[in-house]
Amino acid sequence: MKTKDISLVALFVTLTIVGAQISIPIGTVPITLQVLMVFLTGYFLKPTLALLTQSIYLLLGIIGLPVFANFSGGFASIIGPTGGYLIAFPLAAWIISLSKKDYFSMFLHGILGIAIIYTLGVLVLNYHLHDFKKAFMIGVVPFIGIDFLKMCLAVIISKRVLKVVEA
């Protein structure tokens, strides 16, 4: 790995940690900027680096560092009600990073990434609630519009920054 790649991985791990702490509690699943950082990780990094970045973030939390929302961490976070969302981050970042960096591809891969996050998130939340409809209503419905806006913001940011960097 090049020094640049190591630096980018460290930067996006750090941004994800910071994004997790910007949290609005609205119930079982808080609104955070983690998903925005997953989008940015995917749009800025190559697939293997995007996967590595979010995997490192996940591992830091699993070993107990307070990197998840509200400064939480530990294995209990992964097996808890919101664990499915966290587990989905590496795969979602990888899928998002496969985009060709044109608007259509970025939106398509962004939608696939968020679908992965919602699917795994709702499955684990359903396990805890024993009610799929309730899990969907709590874990997806309040976030669809917000996460779409995060995706749009990530596309705009990444297109502008990549344009400057590549110039």
Side-chain angles (χ1 to χ4, degrees), residues 26 29 31 85 114 118 122 125 132-148:
I26 62 167
V29 182
I31 296 172
Y85 300 96
I114 200 64
Y118 286 161
V122 167
L125 190 56
F132 184 82
K133 183 179 179 184
K134 186 174 182 181
F136 186 82
M137 295 304 290
I138 290 172
V140 174
V141 172
F143 302 97
I144 292 173
I146 294 165
D147 287 335
F148 184 77

Side-chain angles (χ1 to χ4, degrees), residues 62-135:
I62 289 171
I63 65 170
L65 296 177
V67 299
F68 299 145
N70 300 315
F71 295 101
S72 63
F75 191 70
S77 298
I78 298 301
I79 60 173
T82 61
Y85 300 96
L86 296 168
I87 292 167
F89 288 172
L91 180 58
W94 180 74
I95 291 289
I96 293 165
S97 71
L98 295 173
S99 76
K100 293 183 175 105
K101 308 307 181 224
D102 60 272
Y103 285 107
F104 177 77
S105 183
M106 291 174 85
F107 280 108
L108 178 65
H109 284 85
I111 290 167
L112 290 172
I114 200 64
I116 289 166
I117 294 170
Y118 286 161
T119 300
L120 290 175
V122 167
L123 288 175
V124 172
L125 190 56
N126 176 56
Y127 172 80
H128 288 276
L129 298 176
H130 308 291
D131 183 344
F132 184 82
K133 183 179 179 184
K134 186 174 182 181

